[in-house]
Amino acid sequence: MGYNSENYRRIRGEYETKYKRAHEDADRRRAQLHEAVPGVREIDASLGRVGLEIMRAIVAGGEATAKQVDEIRRRNQELQKKRAALLREHGYPEDYSDVRYECPVCSDSGYVDGKMCACMKKQLILAGCESSGMGHLMRTQSFDNFSLDYYRQNAAEQAEMDRNVSLAYRYANGFEAGSSGNLLLMGGTGLGKTHLCSAMARVIIERGYDVYYTGAQGMISDFERERFGNSASYGGGEEIGRYFDCDLLIIDDLGTEVTNQFTVACLFNIINTRLSSGRSTIINTNLTPSELQSRYTDRIVSRLLGEYRMLRFVGIDVRKQKLSQNT
Ligand SMILES: [Zn+2]
């Protein structure tokens, strides 16, 4: 499990704030009651003392303890009843000064019995989608709405696309950091490569992994800023660190970036470092294998063709088909 650590730190902080605020709000309401309802302040003071007595009796132990604790508990209940009646009389709900947590399951701590509460998991997933860089895509592109209808004209093409979707589905649902290998999605524009990537990313983030999505040109620009920019205006190595550290890196549109010695070196660095550390990468490209060969160095191409599982996307541009249907 590798929830994005920056998101995790931020969300833990938010939970601490939330918890503190819930208690402060309850204290405020209690103080308000003390002003508005005569007798409640005294009852609250007695309840505080009774709580202490119970603790002392339990710590002291011994045979008398059980009886003593029962007796104190009875007094406690009486005080509670009296308090509730007073509040009702003055038009306040009985639980007016109770702490109101956003999540009653974990009392806004984010954990229940040492396990992460569902509410915190949900926050991490949402944050993971946003910080993955493909939050906007994931809202609309899932496995559920990946339609094979557009590939119907040709049975062989449809079968191939069917295989791609099943493989992507299995990859996402069985994803494990460090052992899931790499995918190379090849084919023309508008054949659903990005759609399938965001569908996989969504599932993998939901399963608790750190996914980072980037366009090839954007990634190269980050490395250029890292190399040529000054550190005062740029966040140093932190930003490019994600290209190496995330559990799954998705590089979209490889081949659309400007190609020169520097960009090729960057690309090799990322591909090679991730391969040697066992971290998975998915690459989308419109380039054919021979175009890859003419554009990149042998050591890049040999890694892509040797270490990545290739998914060939076939058919006619889905976006054009959708457009012609709508007109
Ligand atoms: Zn919770």
Side-chain angles (χ1 to χ4, degrees), residues 15 102-112 116-120:
Y15 270 74
E102 240 170 66
C103 176
V105 180
C106 66
S107 305
D108 293 353
S109 70
Y111 285 86
V112 187
M116 196 186 286
C117 182
C119 71
M120 189 162 174

Side-chain angles (χ1 to χ4, degrees), residues 18-299:
K18 215 158 45 165
Y19 178 88
K20 225 173 105 190
R21 200 177 300 137
H23 281 261
E24 285 167 356
D25 287 348
D27 288 346
R28 243 192 306 281
R29 288 193 301 277
R30 182 180 303 274
Q32 189 193 343
L33 287 178
H34 290 175
E35 292 304 317
V37 185
V40 174
R41 192 194 303 272
E42 291 70 22
I43 292 177
D44 281 349
S46 306
L47 278 168
R49 281 194 296 276
V50 166
L52 275 177
E53 276 180 53
I54 293 183
M55 280 217 288
R56 272 199 212 112
I58 291 171
V59 171
E63 276 178 27
T65 303
K67 239 183 173 179
Q68 232 179 319
V69 169
D70 279 350
E71 161 57 20
I72 305 171
R73 287 227 164 95
R74 196 188 51 73
R75 269 167 42 218
N76 181 60
Q77 276 166 7
E78 263 171 32
L79 283 166
Q80 297 278 14
K81 253 191 232 165
K82 226 168 120 185
R83 188 183 196 271
L86 269 176
L87 260 55
R88 273 200 308 272
E89 243 172 67
H90 285 78
Y92 287 99
E94 290 175 19
D95 60 357
Y96 187 71
S97 60
D98 285 4
V99 181
R100 294 170 193 167
Y101 295 113
E102 240 170 66
C103 176
V105 180
C106 66
S107 305
D108 293 353
S109 70
Y111 285 86
V112 187
D113 300 331
K115 277 195 185 144
M116 196 186 286
C117 182
C119 71
M120 189 162 174
K121 238 179 235 176
K122 198 175 152 202
Q123 293 294 324
L124 277 164
I125 288 166
L126 285 174
C129 290
E130 289 313 314
S131 66
S132 70
M134 56 183 349
H136 58 297
L137 296 173
M138 275 185 244
R139 278 190 277 278
T140 52
Q141 302 183 333
S142 64
F143 279 111
D144 292 337
N145 64 15
F146 190 92
S147 170
L148 287 168
D149 291 349
Y150 296 104
Y151 309 96
R152 286 265 152 82
Q153 298 91 335
N154 179 317
E157 285 180 354
Q158 199 189 352
E160 179 128 27
M161 288 307 294
D162 205 13
R163 265 199 304 279
N164 289 343
V165 176
S166 314
L167 197 142
Y169 186 84
R170 283 200 308 275
Y171 183 89
N173 283 284
F175 185 87
E176 273 177 46
S179 64
S180 280
N182 313 290
L183 302 178
L184 179 62
L185 279 53
M186 302 185 95
T189 45
L191 296 177
K193 298 193 300 292
T194 304
H195 186 140
L196 218 48
C197 276
S198 57
M200 283 190 275
R202 171 91 212 184
V203 171
I204 294 168
I205 291 169
E206 280 173 355
R207 297 188 51 242
Y209 295 102
D210 182 22
V211 177
Y212 192 39
Y213 168 89
T214 178
Q217 182 55 47
M219 176 176 80
I220 295 299
S221 303
D222 280 350
F223 276 84
E224 278 169 349
R225 279 206 304 278
E226 166 72 11
R227 184 182 178 197
F228 304 112
N230 69 68
S231 53
S233 64
Y234 180 64
E238 264 176 49
E239 231 164 286
I240 62 158
R242 261 197 104 179
Y243 292 112
F244 299 101
D245 299 340
C246 63
D247 296 325
L248 172 66
L249 176 68
I250 301 175
I251 304 173
D252 201 13
D253 262 344
L254 182 73
T256 54
E257 76 286 357
V258 177
T259 313
N260 56 41
Q261 237 180 336
F262 175 72
T263 62
V264 170
C266 278
L267 189 63
F268 177 73
N269 185 12
I270 292 168
I271 290 174
N272 194 49
T273 307
R274 292 188 65 85
L275 274 176
S276 21
S277 63
R279 291 191 168 88
S280 294
T281 309
I282 297 177
I283 295 179
N284 279 349
T285 183
N286 298 341
L287 301 177
T288 61
S290 61
E291 283 169 335
L292 277 178
Q293 231 127 20
S294 63
R295 194 171 173 117
Y296 301 110
T297 55
D298 281 348
R299 45 187 207 158

